[in-house]
Each structure stands twice: as C-alpha cells, then as structure tokens.
Amino acid sequence: MEKQIEIRNNEEKMQFEYSENGEVARLEYRFYKKNIAMMHTVVPETMKGKGIASALAAKAFEYAKEKKKLVMVYCPFVAAYVKRHPELRDQIDKEYHQNM
C-alpha cells in the first residue's frame, strides 16, 4: 500500500509542508488583494520523484477553494501543475493570467 502524503498548512510560515526524516518540502503562499498567490515550491533532493510537489499543489488549490480565493501563480512548478490539471483553471485569477 502506498504511503499517504500528509500535507500540513503552516499558517504562521504561510506554507504547505510535508516532513520526512527531518527534512521539509514546502509550497509558499501569500495573500494578495482578494487572492492567494502561490509563490515558490521547494522539495529536498531526497524527496524528489515521489509526487510530493504535486501533493503540495493539490492541497494548495483545495485550500484556495475552501477559502473562496482565486489563485495567482508565480511558481513555475505550480504553473506546470495547472497545465497538467486543466480542471483547476477555473480557480486561476484571469485578470493576472490571461494565458493559463
């Protein structure tokens, strides 16, 4: 059975996180105007290739939907994630991202 990737929202640091063996993968966000901005994704070498960045992005979009916030994408990984998941395009702030 595949291990569940448990993502935590660290509201104090404004990042979604996943910890493993003392290392932390994170997707940083900020609140901007009426939106949530996905800023930066960092995954340590030891965690790469396990779907952790995708799990972070999925959790971030779930959170944005819960909070009824549109998403602004500054992170190249999140931009690529949205291209692979066109169902998320409705959550993107079209004012800032005409090409998504």
Side-chain angles (χ1 to χ4, degrees):
M1 192 174 110
E2 200 174 306
K3 192 175 85 169
Q4 179 68 31
I5 299 173
E6 211 164 293
I7 307 298
R8 178 176 102 88
N9 182 3
N10 183 335
E11 292 186 35
E12 195 176 298
K13 289 186 176 176
M14 296 181 90
Q15 63 190 25
F16 296 96
E17 331 177 300
Y18 171 75
S19 301
E20 186 179 276
N21 302 324
E23 292 190 286
V24 178
R26 67 186 188 278
L27 191 164
E28 299 166 7
Y29 65 89
R30 298 291 176 265
F31 292 107
Y32 181 71
K33 297 188 179 180
K34 63 189 183 302
N35 298 331
I36 185 168
M38 305 299 169
M39 304 304 290
H40 189 55
T41 304
V42 178
V43 177
E45 275 306 313
T46 58
M47 294 184 200
K48 291 205 168 147
K50 298 180 182 178
I52 292 167
S54 292
L56 289 166
K59 185 70 172 181
F61 275 92
E62 193 180 290
Y63 177 77
K65 195 174 208 169
E66 278 171 23
K67 297 290 180 190
K68 295 178 176 43
K69 299 226 174 263
L70 288 174
V71 176
M72 297 169 72
V73 180
Y74 293 98
C75 172
F77 176 82
V78 175
Y81 182 82
V82 171
K83 282 187 173 65
R84 288 194 310 275
H85 297 274
E87 70 277 8
L88 297 174
R89 288 189 186 139
D90 291 348
Q91 287 184 257
I92 301 295
D93 188 328
K94 304 293 187 275
E95 230 177 274
Y96 293 94
H97 300 291
Q98 283 90 21
N99 61 348
M100 263 194 186

